[in-house]
Amino acid sequence: MPELPEVETIVRGLKSELVGQRVREFVFLSPHLEKKQLPGSFQPAAYEGRKILDIWRRGKMIIIKFDGQLGLLVHLKMTGQLFLTEPEQRIDRHTHALLRFYHLKKELRFRDIRKFGFLNCLALTQIEAKVDQNLGPEPLEIDLASWKWLLKTHGQKRLKNWLLDQKIIAGIGNIYSDEMLFRARLKPFRLAGSLTDQEATRLYRAMRRVLTEAISLKGSSISDYVDASGEKGRFQERHRVYAREGQLCPRCRQEKIIRKKINGRSTFFCPSCQD
DNA sequence: AGCCCATCCTGTCCGC
DNA sequence: TGCGGACAGGATGGGC
């Protein structure tokens, strides 16, 4: 479900309500969550009585910091949700974990229909090590020179795969990669190393524009994505190519948007105005 | 090194 | 209506 803008939106919502809250109760509701815990994990009960000190995002991962050097590392993958809700709200079979607090009416729930996501109970040091070894730089923090260098050092990859590779750049997923390539007027099949200096700059600017605009509109709500407080995003209204197969290209109005699989992912682009 | 594909799951939608 | 297949915002690992 969520890519960087959606995760950023969720994190901002959670942070504003949860920092300073002390945990009253933390329970796993599904056995599969326990199976996904890594060696060295803590039991949920170890978090009870602890206070949330900070919440932040790294790529598509969410990190919650508690006192006592404890942390939670959450990845929502395709269908995961992390949201605050009234305790009266029904708990369905897709809700896998639950946190209750002493001085907050709402509770935090982790829900995930397809069960691809994870919620790991780890020491902060372990979380930081894991995040650092799996993720490249933040796309909104990298400078243009480093961006160009990364294009050259992974020059044999197609742009689509280059953008999706979390070890190269962290946080971009299937929707935003297509939207960036469209705005930069570059074909997803182009090799990263083949870009001219000007094209590399164009992609960098498109990347920044798409991500910042999507964050300001609170992400893209397709199917049932909502943020931490249940609000929908609005960036889906600005999608130019994603899921628009067969529709006239909004830029050249000559060709129809086509869909091709790249590395098993549907990729949408205009065959005429992306080079 | 990077590709393609299957895999982990559940739900929805589309054609017959 | 029912049934089978394709597909879905992600990431990994094996084979080539």
Side-chain angles (χ1 to χ4, degrees):
Chain A
M1 177 199 328
E3 304 179 33
L4 187 152
E6 292 76 34
V7 177
E8 178 65 27
T9 303
I10 291 167
V11 162
R12 288 180 187 182
L14 295 178
K15 187 172 174 174
S16 68
E17 299 224 46
L18 289 181
V19 169
Q21 292 294 332
R22 200 174 286 281
V23 180
R24 181 162 56 83
E25 191 181 7
F26 180 19
V27 283
F28 284 177
L29 303 169
S30 326
H32 92 271
L33 248 199
E34 277 157 66
K35 286 190 219 129
K36 286 200 177 186
Q37 297 304 308
L38 302 170
S41 288
F42 293 90
Q43 294 298 319
Y47 293 74
E48 291 172 359
R50 302 203 178 271
K51 195 188 270 190
I52 293 184
L53 300 181
D54 200 5
I55 303 177
W56 68 95
R57 173 192 66 72
R58 186 68 175 83
K60 300 172 196 169
M61 304 216 199
I62 298 167
I63 298 149
I64 305 178
K65 176 183 180 176
F66 297 80
D67 58 23
Q69 299 304 313
L70 289 185
L72 289 181
L73 179 64
V74 182
H75 197 310
L76 302 172
K77 295 286 182 87
M78 299 280 262
T79 53
Q81 298 172 309
L82 199 55
F83 59 100
L84 289 162
T85 187
E86 319 297 326
E88 297 77 35
Q89 183 75 231
R90 199 178 77 85
I91 297 173
D92 69 5
R93 68 195 194 90
H94 302 301
T95 305
H96 308 305
L98 180 54
L99 275 130
R100 298 194 171 107
F101 304 91
Y102 282 108
H103 301 294
L104 188 69
K105 290 266 171 57
K106 293 178 216 167
E107 58 191 40
L108 178 66
R109 295 188 188 172
F110 175 63
R111 183 171 181 270
D112 184 9
I113 292 175
R114 292 173 74 179
K115 300 194 186 106
F116 290 172
F118 58 76
L119 180 152
N120 285 336
C121 306
L122 296 167
L124 271 173
T125 49
Q126 271 182 286
I127 289 177
E128 272 162 5
K130 190 177 154 119
V131 157
D132 284 341
Q133 81 180 59
N134 286 306
L135 300 180
E138 283 294 317
L140 290 177
E141 287 171 16
I142 193 172
D143 60 59
L144 179 58
S146 309
W147 174 265
K148 288 177 179 170
W149 184 80
L150 285 173
L151 282 166
K152 291 294 175 201
T153 51
H154 302 271
Q156 291 307 109
K157 279 178 103 83
R158 292 166 168 182
L159 285 179
K160 171 79 176 193
N161 292 332
W162 186 86
L163 288 167
L164 288 181
D165 190 330
Q166 304 299 301
K167 288 201 163 107
I168 301 176
I169 299 279
I172 298 167
N174 206 36
I175 295 178
Y176 294 104
S177 57
D178 284 4
E179 294 298 321
M180 288 167 194
L181 289 168
F182 176 77
R183 283 163 175 78
R185 306 196 310 278
L186 294 168
K187 277 215 164 56
F189 310 99
R190 283 282 296 278
L191 295 187
S194 78
L195 298 201
T196 64
D197 207 61
Q198 192 186 23
E199 288 172 328
T201 304
R202 232 158 62 201
L203 186 55
Y204 178 78
R205 297 214 174 115
M207 174 276 287
R208 294 191 57 94
R209 233 182 36 238
V210 165
L211 292 179
T212 49
E213 195 185 346
I215 290 170
S216 74
L217 294 176
K218 302 187 169 197
S220 303
S221 284
I222 71 169
S223 126
D224 55 0
Y225 164 78
V226 288
D227 70 13
S229 55
E231 230 182 306
K232 289 199 170 202
R234 301 198 315 279
F235 191 73
Q236 67 282 3
E237 297 159 16
R238 307 273 182 99
H239 291 175
R240 294 282 169 264
V241 284
Y242 181 79
R244 299 177 76 90
E245 183 185 18
Q247 297 186 43
L248 216 51
C249 169
R251 181 194 291 129
C252 67
R253 300 181 194 282
Q254 299 297 310
E255 293 280 341
K256 290 177 176 172
I257 302 301
I258 58 177
R259 163 161 76 163
K260 281 215 156 61
K261 288 260 184 202
I262 300 183
N263 244 357
R265 312 300 302 276
S266 277
T267 301
F268 301 89
F269 62 97
C270 172
S272 153
C273 64
Q274 288 175 250
D275 304 316

